[in-house]
Every structure is written in structure tokens, then in C-alpha cells.
Amino acid sequence: LYVRQAIAISMKDIPEGLKLDFESLLKDESYLTKENALMELWLRYPENIEYYLKSTENVEGFSNKNVRLLWLTLNLVGTNLDKDKAASYYKELSNYTSPKYPFELRQNAFGYLYQINAFSNQNLKDLLEGTQHHNYRFRDYCRELLDKLLENQEYREKYVALRDELSENNREFLNKKLKI
């Protein structure tokens, strides 16, 4: 198990002769191995992405849904995207930022949405809510991500437009960040 994990995590160049062996990591018992193998195979062999996504379609991963979130994201950024399913994939990924989910799952969802630049207004509100979370690591993550977003004029404008929809506590925090 640990050897396969190490291979999936550290192997950045997959020789053609080892491709089938590396693809077998998608069926490994370890969610960490599956996640890393999926990402590396997507990077190295994008022409086979449909096969890789089909192989991992029903894998959730740990409680933070590490494999599922990667799977959703790869479907959203892929060129072979099934346009009929894109909205449902985005909705699922986007919904995971909600406060009803554990903070580890929310953090992963925020990270993927940031990478593909796909925050909805609700995600932006959820992120702001996360800046007041009781878990200091998650709270600090949300604050750092908020600071990055506010460097972008488009997101600054979106947050200004959302101020009336925020709780008083979140509005005060945002006003300080925006220096209003």
C-alpha cells in the first residue's frame, strides 16, 4: 500500500512501458493513491481522460471527498466534457462549500473552485462565512483565499455587490478587508 502510494505521489514521468501498471493504481485500495494517479494520468495522458474518469466515476475518497472533487473538477475543465452533465457537476462541486459540510470538504471545494476560477456568489458568501469559522486552520485558509480574491478587481466588485446580503458580522469583516 505505502509503496504504491509513494509511486503515485512521486512519479512525475510515466514511461510508456509503465503506463498500464500506473493505470492500475486507479483501482488501488488507497484513496490517496487513486487521487494522485488520476491527476498524474490526466496530466501525462489527456487523450485517455475519458477512460480514467470512467474508472473513478463512483469513488468518493476520504471524508473530504478528495477523489470525487478532483473527478468533478477534471470533468469541468476537460475538453471532452458532456455539456448536459456540466451543470450538475458544477452544482455538486459548488455545493460542497456550504457550511452544512465538514470544513475539510469545504476547504477542498474552495481550492478546486479557485483553481478553475469558478466561484458563484453563494461560494463567495460561504467563503466569507468560513473566515469566522471556529477551526483556526480552516478560518486562516478562508482568510488567505479571500485576500487573494480581493486582489482581483472583479471579485472586489462582486463582494461589494453582495454586502447587503451578508450578516452584520460578515459585512463588518468584509468592510475592513475592502477598507470601506
Side-chain angles (χ1 to χ4, degrees), residues 59-146:
V59 180
E60 294 287 322
F62 297 114
S63 60
N64 65 3
K65 297 185 185 277
N66 61 318
V67 179
R68 181 66 181 172
L69 294 182
L70 175 60
W71 187 91
L72 290 166
T73 304
L74 294 180
N75 269 286
L76 290 170
V77 300
T79 56
N80 297 330
L81 178 63
D82 182 347
K83 302 298 182 202
D84 296 334
K85 295 181 181 177
S88 67
Y89 292 157
Y90 175 75
K91 183 178 179 184
E92 182 180 348
L93 176 62
S94 181
N95 284 342
Y96 288 131
T97 66
S98 169
K100 70 180 182 182
Y101 290 105
F103 68 87
E104 299 95 342
L105 174 55
R106 295 176 68 198
Q107 184 169 325
N108 278 353
F110 283 131
Y112 282 119
L113 290 169
Y114 176 72
Q115 288 178 30
I116 64 173
N117 194 27
F119 287 100
S120 68
N121 285 348
Q122 185 59 52
N123 299 139
L124 295 174
K125 289 190 241 180
D126 292 344
L127 179 64
L128 193 56
E129 184 277 332
T131 65
Q132 309 301 313
H133 198 270
H134 66 274
N135 180 285
Y136 76 93
R137 287 187 179 145
F138 179 63
R139 180 185 62 231
D140 291 350
Y141 172 85
C142 290
R143 288 178 179 188
E144 287 176 27
L145 183 54
L146 177 64

Side-chain angles (χ1 to χ4, degrees), residues 18-97:
L18 293 178
K19 183 180 170 200
L20 287 176
D21 291 326
F22 203 86
E23 288 175 343
S24 73
L25 297 175
L26 294 174
K27 302 200 183 312
D28 200 81
E29 293 178 24
S30 164
Y31 294 133
L32 187 60
T33 302
K34 288 178 184 183
E35 177 187 21
N36 283 285
L38 179 58
M39 179 59 106
E40 289 306 316
L41 288 165
W42 175 72
L43 289 170
R44 305 296 172 248
Y45 300 101
E47 66 276 7
N48 298 332
I49 190 61
E50 287 183 53
Y51 170 73
Y52 304 142
L53 292 173
K54 191 71 174 159
S55 298
T56 54
E57 183 173 18
N58 297 314
V59 180
E60 294 287 322
F62 297 114
S63 60
N64 65 3
K65 297 185 185 277
N66 61 318
V67 179
R68 181 66 181 172
L69 294 182
L70 175 60
W71 187 91
L72 290 166
T73 304
L74 294 180
N75 269 286
L76 290 170
V77 300
T79 56
N80 297 330
L81 178 63
D82 182 347
K83 302 298 182 202
D84 296 334
K85 295 181 181 177
S88 67
Y89 292 157
Y90 175 75
K91 183 178 179 184
E92 182 180 348
L93 176 62
S94 181
N95 284 342
Y96 288 131
T97 66

Side-chain angles (χ1 to χ4, degrees), residues 159-170:
Y159 269 115
V160 168
L162 289 172
R163 282 187 315 172
D164 292 339
E165 300 175 34
L166 303 174
S167 70
E168 185 176 335
N169 191 30
N170 284 341

